[in-house]
Amino acid sequence: NASDVLKTIKKHYASIPAQKSVEREIPVEPEQKSTRKKVMKLNLQVQKLMMGYRVTESDHPDVPAINLLRSVLSSGRSSRLERALVDSGVASSQGMYDLDDKDPSLLIFSASLQKGRKSEEAESIILREIEKLQKNLVSDTELEKAKNQLAFEFYSELSDSNAKANFLGLHETINGDFMKGLETIEKLSSLQAKDIRDVARKYLNPE
């Protein structure tokens, strides 16, 4: 039980004197003013594509809307990129993920192409779907589906004690307070389609 765990912790660690936290000054990255591309020649049978957009730090108020945007585009069999890339036969798989970080980071798009398909085709499709989000509001049905998907993913990842410990450690380390991780999911209910369009316009630009 909890009291036994606390006794064990005190037994092994209580004698260690507390240390002051180290304040680290991390230099700010130079402003990126143009698209950067790199082609890598690897021993692969099919082409692969990765695209990264600069986004904000993990405790920024825009993060819940960015998560919703990611869900609309990439989460589930009925997501926009799944239909546009995989169901169309252009790619065998697609995905999006962000790099949870204390500093501004990246939102990554990835795709594994079908044999004979070119990465430029997948890139064009992704850019087209991004442009749709920047110009048009998602439907109420799509918005609600994305919220439900994120809520399901969130609570599924807290299914056991190890997952809960990882959650607490991540947010205490990166955000300084695990409650901020809970606040991110709680803010989803108040978000509207306009919030998705706003973050698409703000962050998903080629520059």
Side-chain angles (χ1 to χ4, degrees):
N1 58 37
S3 60
D4 291 336
V5 172
L6 184 59
K7 288 178 182 178
T8 302
I9 293 172
K10 287 182 177 179
K11 176 182 176 181
H12 294 285
Y13 296 100
S15 61
I16 301 175
Q19 304 290 320
K20 290 185 178 180
S21 297
V22 178
E23 294 293 333
R24 293 183 173 88
E25 291 189 11
I26 300 175
V28 178
E29 284 191 44
E31 182 182 359
Q32 184 175 328
K33 298 182 179 180
S34 62
T35 302
R36 301 173 188 172
K37 289 189 176 184
K38 183 173 183 178
V39 177
M40 301 179 69
K41 302 291 185 180
L42 303 174
N43 185 24
L44 300 173
Q45 294 184 350
V46 297
Q47 292 193 11
K48 294 182 179 291
L49 172 70
M50 294 190 75
M51 299 168 58
Y53 288 88
R54 292 188 61 163
V55 291
T56 188
E57 60 274 14
S58 62
D59 64 348
H60 192 279
D62 285 343
V63 167
I66 293 172
N67 289 340
L68 264 185
L69 176 149
R70 175 175 53 80
S71 184
V72 167
L73 281 176
S74 184
S75 295
R77 293 297 304 274
S78 62
S79 64
R80 295 189 178 196
L81 289 178
E82 186 74 15
R83 288 183 279 118
L85 288 170
V86 179
D87 292 352
S88 67
V90 174
S92 59
S93 64
Q94 61 79 31
M96 285 178 66
Y97 58 94
D98 49 55
L99 305 175
D100 286 328
D101 211 328
K102 193 171 185 177
D103 305 300
S105 191
L106 291 175
L107 180 65
I108 307 293
F109 293 72
S110 66
S112 293
L113 283 294
Q114 292 282 11
K115 193 170 183 178
R117 297 285 191 153
K118 302 297 184 182
S119 60
E120 290 84 1
E121 185 179 2
E123 180 183 8
S124 177
I125 290 172
I126 292 172
L127 293 176
R128 183 187 70 204
E129 293 300 325
I130 289 173
E131 185 178 12
K132 288 180 182 178
L133 279 185
Q134 292 171 332
K135 290 183 175 179
N136 306 305
L137 297 177
V138 302
S139 67
D140 291 341
T141 300
E142 198 170 17
L143 176 65
E144 193 61 28
K145 172 183 169 293
K147 290 181 179 181
N148 291 338
Q149 180 82 24
L150 286 174
F152 175 78
E153 291 174 1
F154 177 80
Y155 291 110
S156 295
E157 291 173 357
L158 297 178
S159 58
D160 56 47
S161 57
N162 184 60
K164 293 182 178 71
N166 286 336
F167 171 83
L168 293 172
L170 172 69
H171 289 284
E172 285 289 336
T173 302
I174 293 177
N175 298 326
D177 185 356
F178 77 91
M179 289 300 295
K180 291 184 178 179
L182 298 175
E183 290 167 3
T184 297
I185 197 70
E186 290 170 355
K187 288 176 181 176
L188 286 178
S189 61
S190 63
L191 294 177
Q192 304 298 321
K194 178 181 178 297
D195 297 306
I196 297 176
R197 186 182 64 184
D198 288 347
V199 292
R201 290 175 174 178
K202 182 176 180 180
Y203 295 105
L204 302 186
N205 295 299
E207 291 80 16

